[in-house]
Amino acid sequence: MTTLHEQTASDMPDIRRSLDHYYMVTQTDAEGLVISVNKNFLNVSNWTPKRVLGKTIWQLFDDSEQAQSTIHTIWEQLQAGKTWFGTAQKQKRTGETYFSNLLAVPEMDANGVFEQALFLELDITEDIQTKERLEQIAFIDIETGLMSRHKLEALVNEMIGEDKSFSFVYLSIDHYYTLKELQNGTDETELTQAFANRMKRYFQDNPIARIGSSQFVILTPFGDWYVQGFLDFLEQQPLYIGNEALPLSISGGIARYPEDQKSYVNLLEAAAMTLDEVRQQGGGKIISLSAASHKVLNRRSLINRKLLTALDRNALEVVYQPQYDVAAKQVTVYEALVRWEDDELGTVSPDELIPIAESNGLIANIGGYVLTEAAQLAVQLEAENGSPHVSVNTSVREFSNQPMKDKILAILQTASCRPGQLELEITEKFAFQAEEEQSIIQQMKELQDAGVNFTLDDFGTGYASFRYMQYLPISKVKIDKVYMTSLLTHPKTQQLVEGMIQFSKTMGLYTIAEGVETEAQFDLLVSMGIDAVQGYYIGAPVRAEELHSQK
Ligand code: C2E
Ligand code: CA
Ligand code: CA
């Protein structure tokens, strides 16, 4: 006869074995770092133990906003000692998304402190794909009976074809995942169906589509007042689950056809952007595309359109900002920064330009152009005054899946520039991606062997700067300019900066401070042991011609 005592899966070998047999199992520590995975997990996700152990659990989720919000919720629950169950979007090593039914269980220590987490998953991608295929055929969302997004697109195109004016209304339930948790025991489907019914009652014959788990689109010829009335309607007739009224917050964005946008994709994008704005202001409102965001959108698409021709016509420019070496008492490096002055667009700053170029692929052309210019300058400066280096910013998009190393070395060779005269600045976003793609680190190492130096830019702004310093082939770090504004006024900032300098030294790295604008900042940094300084105090970015005349 067996005696009864508390049992957990780990002291019941049979259960442990069955779990292992049927489920993908992942275990993390309290920081969310993966400490073990089983075979099933490796088979489905294509990750290898070497790649996945020590990674954060966040990185194993798809990088869509929805998936990231799911893991955020899961993690909050786990830390509070609660179990979570639901559907999650995960990412395979190949970047491909898979769907799983996921059970996340916290393990607490004797004092009730969160110690480890266990994730059990079943791959349900096929079910979801079948459902999507059915929806595509039926043009209908099976759970709610609303139109699917395929039907929506077809209908919008039809209405545009007939030149009917209408409002494209994008609605979203705020804090959907928290809400689901709140209503313990209520499943997602019930909540979504109840909400869909409210929409049908209010919007009646106006077409309604479901385009995401908690995202909906309504097409209506009526104005903003009518759409906004839906929020009052919901307040008067709240959703009930059991006997309790649900505290529901809805946000929405409206874009008009034809006044605001003229195609399905643009209407969707504009309405989604407006929705984002509403959410940033706290949510709970439906507003129409503001004049401001309208302008941003138009400017974006104009930049998109004109960039290729600008590159063709050599309309982009490069300016150079000096970096002063404290020990050598002279400028030893010039950082290349791209500039674009356009008649119609005015000044397009790199902060605006680079993200657009990254998304349309033209970053490779910009990178090639800036590097070519910088390499030529390095050669000229060497002949004129010693051998200053040039430093060029790079985006990870340029390295991803491309033989970037060969391209860089070829450009240097054409310009007769020694690789040792070139430095490349990378950001944390770059480092993060490099961690994922071994080929990037490989290319960096080969470039380093050839003599190129790497600088970790914007140091101190990300959450893992220190980690990247350990395994990327970098020789310099550049402390971000955000620290300079409060350097003289906040003792905390001073301590942080001093700590970063000390730490870099311990790692054998050369440390630069950027954004230095005053003598007082400069003196303080020098007393802290900084190796080099960059900023308006030393010099603003200038054209190459001005550098030659300066010497
Ligand atoms: P970054 O690499 O951190 O560049 C420093 C930015 O700070 C530059 O802005 C520079 O003009 C500005 N700056 C310099 N000294 C001071 C100062 O004393 N005080 C203040 N407040 N600001 C100062 P810029 O040129 O607008 O560049 C913005 C960002 O765009 C750069 O940040 C860099 O990440 C990116 N970028 C610029 N050119 C390129 C490029 O050719 N390729 C890529 N991938 N990115 C680039
Ligand atoms: Ca930089
Ligand atoms: Ca920087």
Side-chain angles (χ1 to χ4, degrees), residues 222-242:
F222 301 121
D224 296 354
W225 57 269
Y226 167 73
V227 179
Q228 284 152 349
F230 177 58
L231 295 185
D232 301 327
F233 172 78
L234 265 185
E235 210 161 278
Q236 285 150 18
Q237 309 204 20
L239 288 187
Y240 281 92
I241 300 284

Side-chain angles (χ1 to χ4, degrees), residues 75-92:
W75 199 250
E76 273 180 359
Q77 294 284 314
L78 291 174
Q79 283 180 318
K82 292 188 202 147
T83 301
W84 186 94
F85 179 72
T87 310
Q89 261 167 277
K90 305 277 303 287
Q91 201 163 47
K92 295 190 185 183

